[in-house]
Each structure stands twice: as structure tokens, then as C-alpha cells.
Amino acid sequence: MERTILITGGAGFIGSHVVRLFVNKYPGYRIVNLDKLTYAGNLENLKDVELKPNYTFVKADITDTGSLHRLFGEYEFSGVIHLAAESHVDRSITNPMEFIHTNVLGTANLLNAALESWKDRFSGKVFYHISTDEVFGSLENGGYFTEQTAYDPRSPYSASKAGSDHLVRAYFNTYGLPVLISNCSNNYGPNQFPEKLIPLIINNILNRKSLPVYGKGENIRDWLYVEDHAAAMDVIFHRGKKGETYTIGGSNEWKNIDLIRFLCRLMDKKLDRSPGDSEKLIRFVKDRAGHDLRYAIDAGKLKKELGWEPSLTFEQGLNRTVDWYLENREWLQHVLTGDYEKYYEKQYVSR
Ligand code: NAD
Ligand code: TYD
């Protein structure tokens, strides 16, 4: 094998697309996927690659120092792509400590394991930390997030991700650990757990359940198809400049209510329902506490320096996504049990 790469959180939504891309595109790389398999981790996401000779799955927790020590002893990693995290803002509001534990302590543990293993020779190594645009706060007065934007996280989720970003940068400045960071806008696509907006709305339209819109639905997100995010990670991992940050986004801003209405129309057509049928399911519910108004990314640096561009329009991406959920109802069925249902009932209190 040319090199061995550790991907954390590879059984989750974005991680599974990154694992698939790397396993298929680089048969000469051994890809080790470390995941704790929380409610968000699902090995069904990786059925198509699980038997590939260059893929290995390890069930472990990034907050467990002993496991990481053993793993770095067993494999000679030359790269780490770190996605493992608690990732849902609403859950961070009800249970902040879990986010601080996983996202801050877990990242510190992983940094320590890489530093310990690589300290005699940093050449050829890279620790790539995957983060979010939410660390920059909320764009209330126009403009875009760039690599220069000051951090201003406002939810326990974004604050814990900001903490992890700071640690990664500190290990670069203090110890010279070769790091990369990227901060991406909202992702969507196949395999996303149906607690996040787009898969939740698709699932609810499918099952004729109400469509919960927080507040007035005027909050704006910049949406990027998950495979385009994975493609950006590929170029950053291989050609990004150590110690630098890259912001990634789709230049694709949508108000939540407009996006939900768009999905209603798209799915009415695909499901052969009368026009306007699904829109009747829309319900305005209690707003999220501290709900950030707008996120939007300027991805100019990544485009100019590394030549990355999103490959799909939003319409193409949403079509693919809806088709995937319609064709994979069994996948949806499997995740729509247990923890998710209990959480769902607690979360959605109508106004
Ligand atoms: P996800 O919740 O779908 O997946 C997270 C994965 O991490 C799961 O497989 C889970 O089992 C695993 N995990 C959680 N705690 C762990 C632990 N202690 N040890 C090992 N594994 C653990 O999340 P996602 O949406 O795929 O996001 C992946 C990463 O990308 C996160 O770091 C997130 O902050 C970042 N990100 C997400 C988005 C987005 O829109 N979803 C946008 C930008 C950045
Ligand atoms: P989400 O997918 O949770 O991503 P994030 O909060 O990390 O951006 O939510 C996207 C937007 O959709 C956000 O403004 C909150 C809103 N939202 C709803 O209006 N209803 C919902 O049921 C959910 C889950 C989100």
C-alpha cells in the first residue's frame, strides 16, 4: 500500500461519502474508518465498499485515549481526515456536554495520538480537520464568511467545533503538527440522517407528516451537495497548504421556507400527487433557541488556489437526493426507530 489513511466518523453522512471516494479512487491507499457508531453512524452507508481489500472498519471512540494509542501503534498512518463529531445543533441545545466531550476532547485526543506517533518525522504527514461554517456565527448584515472571518460561534455545537478548530491550529503553531482545516456550509445528499432539514422534510412528505418550519422560515443556509464537499476534501487533503484554512460552500443560498416549498413541488411531481398537496403539511413551530439567521460562504480561495468548483446545480442535487430517498426506503425505515423517534417527539412541540 502506498499510504495508510485514518478517516474518523466514516460511518456518518459526510464521512461515508469521503470513505467511498477514497477507497474507489485510490486503490493504493489503505483506508481505515474509525467510528463509534452513535445513532448517526450507520454501516449500511458503506455496504458497497465494505469488502474492498483496501478498506478496514474499526469500532472505537475518539475520546478513548487507549484505543487511539493502540490504533496508531498498529498502523503507520500518514494522514488523518477527522470528521467524527456530534453534529446536530438541536441536540447540542438539549445535551451540550456530549458535544463538548466528543468534539473538543475527542479532537484533542486525536491530535495527541497523531503528534505522539509522528513527532520524529512530520514530513509526508497531514492531519486534516473537517469543520463547519457555523463557527463564524450568523451573517445578520449581508456579506460572506471567508478564511479571515473572526470566530463567533453561538450554539453549543458551533462552539464545540470552534474549540476543536482552535486546538488544531494550536498544535500547528506550538508543535508544528502539519494540519489543514476546512469550514464548509450545509451539506445535503444521500445517507443524511433524517433529523437534518432536507432529509427530514423528504421523509415527512413521503409519509404525509407535518413539515416543521422553525420560526418564520426566513433563516438562510448555503447548500452544497455532499459529493462536492468530498471532492473539495480530496483536493485540500492532497494539495492544501499546511497550516491553512479553506472555506467551502455552494454559492447557493436558500430561505428555509422557499426550500421546503421547492421540495414539496418536486415531490408532488415524483409521487404523482396533486400540485399543492404537500404544501398543506407545512407547520410553523417554535423557533430554535439562538437560531442563526444566515450562513453564506465565499469559496474563492479554494476555487482560485486549488481549482475546485461544485459539479451540480441545486436542482440536480435535490433531484438526485429525493430519488435516492425514494429508492432507499428500507434505509430510511432502519434509521427511523428507537432513539430517533423518542428524540423526535421531544423536539417538535408545536406553537
Ligand atoms: P454525522 O452526525 O452524520 O456523522 C458523525 C459520525 O461521527 C457518525 O458516524 C458517528 O457515529 C461518529 N462519531 C460521533 N462521535 C464519535 C466518537 N466519540 N468517536 C468516534 N466516532 C464518533 O455528521 P456529518 O453531517 O457527516 O458531519 C461530519 C463532520 O462534518 C462533522 O465534523 C461536522 O461538524 C462536519 N460538517 C458537517 C456539515 C453538515 O452539513 N452536515 C457541514 C460542515 C461540516
Ligand atoms: P439543520 O439541517 O439542522 O442544519 P443547521 O442548523 O446546522 O444549519 O437546519 C437547517 C435549517 O433548517 C436551520 O435554519 C433550522 C431549520 N430547520 C427547520 O426549520 N425545521 C426543522 O425541522 C429542522 C431540523 C431545521
Side-chain angles (χ1 to χ4, degrees):
M1 287 285 168
E2 289 160 47
R3 59 189 302 190
T4 304
I5 296 168
L6 174 65
I7 299 184
T8 70
F13 165 49
I14 303 175
S16 61
H17 289 274
V18 180
V19 166
R20 177 175 301 103
L21 175 70
F22 273 68
V23 166
N24 289 331
K25 185 168 174 186
Y26 303 107
Y29 292 6
R30 168 169 300 287
I31 303 299
V32 178
N33 170 16
L34 176 155
D35 200 295
K36 181 184 171 184
L37 299 183
T38 66
Y39 79 95
N42 184 349
L43 288 178
E44 280 187 39
N45 295 349
L46 290 166
K47 268 188 182 157
D48 56 322
V49 295
E50 67 190 7
L51 296 176
K52 298 262 172 155
N54 63 334
Y55 171 72
T56 308
F57 173 71
V58 177
K59 184 171 187 301
D61 185 334
I62 54 166
T63 67
D64 176 1
T65 338
S67 294
L68 293 188
H69 187 76
R70 281 192 295 280
L71 197 69
F72 275 81
E74 192 178 335
Y75 295 97
E76 274 188 38
F77 296 119
S78 67
V80 173
I81 307 180
H82 175 37
L83 297 106
E86 288 294 337
S87 69
H88 188 39
V89 175
D90 293 323
R91 287 182 189 253
S92 84
I93 295 168
T94 37
N95 194 358
M97 291 314 288
E98 206 172 330
F99 283 68
I100 293 159
H101 189 66
T102 295
N103 298 358
V104 182
L105 284 178
T107 301
N109 261 336
L110 200 60
L111 285 164
N112 286 333
L115 182 62
E116 177 57 29
S117 159
W118 296 347
K119 62 179 187 295
D120 295 332
R121 195 177 145 80
F122 283 148
S123 162
K125 312 288 197 307
V126 60
F127 185 107
Y128 180 15
H129 175 63
I130 307 307
S131 193
T132 165
D133 61 351
E134 302 191 28
V135 299
F136 301 122
S138 179
L139 287 164
E140 309 281 328
N141 303 312
Y144 296 92
F145 297 136
T146 72
E147 292 78 5
Q148 274 73 49
T149 305
Y151 276 45
D152 182 22
R154 295 153 44 100
S155 74
Y157 164 64
S158 55
S160 67
K161 289 297 289 188
S164 65
D165 293 13
H166 289 323
L167 281 168
V168 172
R169 236 170 246 122
Y171 274 59
F172 173 75
N173 287 310
T174 308
Y175 308 110
L177 189 76
V179 307
L180 290 164
I181 299 179
S182 58
N183 298 85
C184 189
S185 62
N186 288 60
N187 284 215
Y188 71 98
N191 303 104
Q192 188 168 29
F193 194 83
E195 64 184 352
K196 305 274 169 68
L197 182 68
I198 289 182
L200 182 137
I201 295 297
I202 293 174
N203 180 55
N204 287 15
I205 291 176
L206 190 58
N207 294 301
R208 295 186 191 274
K209 282 167 73 173
S210 66
L211 310 179
V213 183
Y214 294 170
K216 294 183 180 146
E218 290 190 341
N219 305 68
I220 295 171
R221 298 293 182 262
D222 171 0
W223 295 96
L224 180 68
Y225 190 66
V226 63
E227 287 181 5
D228 281 329
H229 187 189
M233 284 187 221
D234 182 14
V235 296
I236 293 169
F237 178 77
H238 287 99
R239 294 193 282 118
K241 196 160 162 241
K242 305 297 180 316
E244 298 229 346
T245 293
Y246 297 84
T247 50
I248 313 172
S251 302
N252 177 40
E253 291 179 51
W254 282 71
K255 267 191 193 165
N256 292 337
I257 188 66
D258 295 339
L259 170 54
I260 292 167
R261 292 208 165 105
F262 185 89
L263 277 171
C264 287
R265 289 193 291 276
L266 183 65
M267 287 193 62
D268 280 345
K269 275 194 217 132
K270 287 188 189 285
L271 293 168
D272 254 342
R273 293 183 184 167
S274 326
D277 240 23
S278 299
E279 283 199 30
K280 291 187 199 128
L281 298 168
I282 290 175
R283 298 284 178 279
F284 291 90
V285 301
K286 190 168 172 284
D287 206 356
R288 171 186 284 171
H291 197 172
D292 288 339
L293 180 65
R294 173 173 169 256
Y295 305 142
I297 287 276
D298 174 350
K301 174 181 172 183
L302 177 61
K303 291 180 181 178
K304 196 160 145 242
E305 292 185 8
L306 301 180
W308 172 87
E309 287 286 343
S311 68
L312 294 186
T313 64
F314 197 37
E315 202 162 306
Q316 289 168 327
L318 277 182
N319 260 292
R320 272 198 203 180
T321 304
V322 170
D323 288 345
W324 186 86
Y325 280 94
L326 294 181
E327 284 156 17
N328 290 275
R329 296 189 199 193
E330 200 176 297
W331 182 93
L332 256 183
Q333 220 35 55
H334 288 175
V335 298
L336 286 174
T337 51
D339 187 40
Y340 178 77
E341 287 292 4
K342 274 183 252 140
Y343 157 77
Y344 189 94
E345 282 156 22
K346 216 167 103 200
Q347 181 60 29
Y348 293 110
V349 186
S350 287
R351 250 201 234 156

